[in-house]
Structures are given as structure tokens and as C-alpha cells.
Amino acid sequence: MLSKVGQIMLYVNNQDEAVKFWTEVLGFSVIAEENNNQGFRWIEIAPTQEAETSIVLHNKEFVAKMSPGVNLETPSLMFYTENFEQLHSDLLDKKITVGEIVNMPSGRVFNFADYEENYFAVMEKR
């Protein structure tokens, strides 16, 4: 039986730029990196070393060649934060695309975009 989500695969056009965005803009850490020097390289990132779920950055072009049936679209990811307004302000200060704060029945939410214009959401749960 499944017990938790371990990794989320995120297919990107430029792995180095993606790592830069997730680590320098969002403060994630690189947990692991593998490279077989034949085109297969993946980088595992997470908000903390202790996080139960991580994101693995894969090269979109390589995955498309190796597994043509894989959906390469960006998954809809919802992040939670303890410092909602501070995070919103910090992301605006870093000059990335950040949406307005919206009040939802389950809490406040906003979205932001990475360097490849993939959108992700942040929620302050009530």
C-alpha cells in the first residue's frame, strides 16, 4: 500500500537554470545529483534535508527521447509556508513573476513562476 509521495519529477529545459532558481530564489538545497555522462542527469532538490518529499529535475529533451509516452507538462504543485506574507514579499523582491494574494475558503494563496514560466502555488493553510 502507498504511504506517501516521495519524489515529484519536474521536466525542465535547462537543468542548471532550474537548480539556480530553486536554490537561489526559493532556498531549496540540492539533496543528490546523478550524471551518467551519457545524457542522463538528474538533480534532487528539497526545501530541507529532512523533507519527506523532494523534487527531481530531469532534462525534458532526454526524457522525451527515452520515454516518449511520458507527460512532460509541469505538474501543479502547491507549497505551504509558515511565513506567507514574508515569502510573497521576498519573491517580489527577487524580481520573479508573483501573483496577487487571493483569499480562498481553505486559506490564502498566490502563485509564482520559475525561469521557464512554469507556475506553482503557495498556500497559507487555515
Side-chain angles (χ1 to χ4, degrees):
M1 184 177 285
L2 302 175
S3 61
K4 66 180 177 181
V5 175
Q7 294 179 331
I8 298 165
M9 307 308 199
L10 185 58
Y11 306 112
V12 298
N13 295 310
N14 185 321
Q15 288 174 295
D16 293 324
E17 284 294 310
V19 169
K20 183 178 176 182
F21 176 81
W22 288 97
T23 59
E24 294 179 13
V25 174
L26 293 179
F28 278 48
S29 297
V30 174
I31 305 300
E33 183 170 351
E34 295 288 330
N35 188 346
N36 73 356
N37 295 317
Q38 297 174 357
F40 181 70
R41 175 182 176 216
W42 62 265
I43 303 112
E44 182 179 4
I45 59 171
T48 66
Q49 293 283 337
E50 300 79 27
E52 289 189 22
T53 304
S54 61
I55 297 172
V56 179
L57 303 171
H58 285 282
N59 179 288
K60 189 181 284 189
E61 183 179 337
F62 180 82
V63 172
K65 287 178 186 173
M66 296 301 294
S67 302
V70 170
N71 179 356
L72 300 174
E73 298 301 315
T74 303
S76 294
L77 301 180
M78 174 76 75
F79 295 98
Y80 297 148
T81 182
E82 301 292 324
N83 301 308
F84 185 81
E85 289 179 20
Q86 183 65 50
L87 177 60
H88 186 265
S89 176
D90 289 348
L91 293 177
L92 285 171
D93 289 345
K94 292 179 179 183
K95 307 291 188 232
I96 64 168
T97 302
V98 180
E100 296 293 321
I101 295 174
V102 177
N103 289 311
M104 306 288 284
S106 55
R108 297 186 301 168
V109 67
F110 69 87
N111 62 20
F112 65 91
D114 67 9
Y115 295 148
E116 295 184 9
E117 297 184 10
N118 298 306
Y119 281 82
F120 306 96
V122 176
M123 176 176 267
E124 174 188 56
K125 290 190 69 147
R126 291 190 178 146

